Amino acid sequence: MSAEQRFAGGPEVAVPLAPAHSPLWFRGLVWLAPVLLAATPWLPDGEGAALPLAGQVLLTLLGLGLFLAFLLVPRRLAYTLTNTGLRVRRASGTFEWPYRDLRAQATGGGLGLKVGGVGLPGYYSGNYAWKGEGPRAVQALSSNTGQGVLLDVRGVPYFLTPADPESFLQALTERGVTVRA
């Protein structure tokens, strides 16, 4: 299917995201946090409860809230091609970059260490070191840590992960965005 067929349509076209991917150890570590937060207050310490009942309930509710946040946050990431620009939705809000401000390129690199932001399985948003040619650091708005597209937005590098980077780049070219090889 060509980019024209895949991204043709009305004024707004949703861009499928690459499948969420994270190392198994990372997923385990992330999911361990809410489990420990919810369960630890209820474990006996030999002298009875270490916390009053209200504290135990509060920590359990915080753990359950964190668990729900982990389930819901990855679904907040979305890319949409509009008539005027590329709209990006993330957990903290939605914004749109005009096509005239974008430069794009395919990349073989990937995200390195998180410098600041959110790093959850299936949702990477914030500042990350870059492993690959090009910039030393990027702003991530991605569903996994590799196989994506680098966007230069007014001099700031962003890493996005559409499901089909080549078709996405073709669709950007058709909308007037300069795409580098």
Side-chain angles (χ1 to χ4, degrees):
M1 178 182 289
S2 73
E4 188 172 302
Q5 292 169 327
R6 174 172 258 174
F7 297 115
E12 294 186 1
V13 180
V15 177
L17 290 173
H21 174 71
S22 296
L24 185 59
W25 69 265
F26 182 62
R27 287 183 294 208
L29 184 64
V30 166
W31 286 106
L32 184 62
V35 169
L36 288 177
L37 189 59
T40 302
W42 300 99
L43 296 175
D45 68 350
E47 300 174 14
L51 289 174
L53 182 61
Q56 291 174 313
V57 170
L58 178 65
L59 285 176
T60 301
L61 290 175
L62 285 173
L64 292 174
L66 191 59
F67 181 81
L68 287 173
F70 287 175
L71 285 176
L72 298 175
V73 167
R75 294 186 183 100
R76 298 280 186 211
L77 184 63
Y79 314 132
T80 306
L81 298 171
T82 70
N83 286 336
T84 57
L86 173 63
R87 184 177 303 142
V88 178
R89 184 185 74 190
R90 60 182 174 178
S92 62
T94 301
F95 56 89
E96 186 171 315
W97 293 312
Y99 292 124
R100 69 178 176 277
D101 293 343
L102 303 179
R103 306 290 175 267
Q105 70 181 42
T107 179
L111 297 179
L113 293 175
K114 178 177 65 168
V115 178
V118 177
L120 295 173
Y123 185 82
Y124 300 90
S125 177
N127 301 319
Y128 284 79
W130 182 248
K131 297 188 304 186
E133 291 186 27
R136 293 177 54 155
V138 297
Q139 295 286 319
L141 296 165
S142 64
S143 58
N144 63 46
T145 59
Q147 302 303 313
V149 170
L150 275 179
L151 282 184
D152 183 295
V153 183
R154 294 179 226 117
V156 178
Y158 286 86
F159 179 68
L160 279 64
T161 51
D164 186 351
E166 290 179 25
S167 294
F168 179 67
L169 289 171
Q170 173 114 21
L172 289 176
T173 300
E174 292 166 1
R175 287 164 171 79
V177 174
T178 303
V179 176
R180 291 176 257 158

